[in-house]
Amino acid sequence: AQSVTQLGSHVSVSEGALVLLRCNYSSSVPPYLFWYVQYPNQGLQLLLKYTSAATLVKGINGFEAEFKKSETSFHLTKPSAHMSDAAEYFCAVTAPGAAGNKLTFGGGTRVLVKP
Amino acid sequence: DAGVTQSPTHLIKTRGQHVTLRCSPISGHKSVSWYQQVLGQGPQFIFQYYEKEERGRGNFPDRFSARQFPNYSSELNVNALLLGDSALYLCASSFGTAGTEQYFGPGTRLTVT
């Protein structure tokens, strides 16, 4: 079974400051990991994914995440926040070969960007 | 290319009624998954269908059922609606199974009164 913990349900950053969203996972097998973003009243958009290749993964909109097996973490970062980054972010895990391609999501982190 | 589409966008039902939600996957995708997102929480996996067969089921009661059609579109059915079924229902499509990226539709907002 897999699980995901996102530390901090709300994060407030100033425009231009570093964005850091924390995600820790639990998986009995090497996982695939994803970050999704959800804007108000919309579905989820895939930001990036880790599937056992490079541990530093670059995604869309300037985001990147680093897979650290020893820390069971997959934190999301962006060097400089933009007002358009205000949204809710979800970390998700699945196991390669898992029946049903089930994604297990964390509880989400809502990002507020202050001008 | 069109993304994942879902209908209806919103609907309001009364306790005890039945509801059918519809999803059309991205062209070429053969897998559809359904998720329930209660306000303030992350999505919870309900079902996955691939090539018209159920490939996975989450921890939901038998009131929830789904099917996939030959054109890979899908329906999610919920019987005997409860207030707790109020949520955003998300459909996601993927090319295959087991770890491939899932692309989400805009969701159907269901309110049960």
Side-chain angles (χ1 to χ4, degrees), chain A residues 1-4 91-94 101-106, chain B residues 35 43-45:
Chain A
Q2 291 91 32
S3 67
V4 173
C91 181
V93 63
T94 190
N101 205 25
K102 167 187 175 181
L103 283 172
T104 299
F105 286 86
Chain B
Y35 292 82
Q44 297 287 319
F45 175 76

Side-chain angles (χ1 to χ4, degrees), chain B residues 18-87:
Chain B
H18 163 271
V19 68
T20 298
L21 311 181
R22 296 177 175 83
C23 172
S24 292
I26 292 170
S27 178
H29 284 190
K30 300 181 179 181
S31 175
V32 169
S33 298
W34 288 95
Y35 292 82
Q36 180 196 65
Q37 186 179 20
V38 172
L39 195 63
Q41 298 181 19
Q44 297 287 319
F45 175 76
I46 309 175
F47 287 111
Q48 187 207 20
Y49 277 77
Y50 178 73
E51 290 281 16
K52 302 181 290 296
E53 292 187 359
E54 182 182 303
R55 291 299 189 94
R57 172 185 284 256
N59 187 24
F60 280 81
D62 291 344
R63 299 185 295 107
F64 289 77
S65 64
R67 56 179 175 169
Q68 186 177 33
F69 299 98
N71 66 354
Y72 302 111
S73 67
S74 177
E75 284 183 354
L76 175 70
N77 295 282
V78 187
N79 293 323
L81 285 166
L82 303 174
L83 295 179
D85 295 330
S86 296

Side-chain angles (χ1 to χ4, degrees), chain A residues 1-3 25-34 50-53 55 67-70 72-74 92-98 101-102, chain B residues 98-100:
Chain A
Q2 291 91 32
S3 67
Y25 70 91
S26 172
S27 178
S28 56
V29 298
Y32 286 171
L33 294 156
F34 304 83
Y50 166 78
T51 56
S52 75
T55 56
F67 173 72
K68 291 187 176 180
K69 182 179 179 181
S70 61
T72 62
S73 69
F74 190 57
V93 63
T94 190
N101 205 25
K102 167 187 175 181
Chain B
T100 55

Side-chain angles (χ1 to χ4, degrees), chain B residues 93-107:
Chain B
S93 79
S94 57
F95 179 75
T97 62
T100 55
E101 300 99 287
Q102 296 184 40
Y103 296 89
F104 285 79

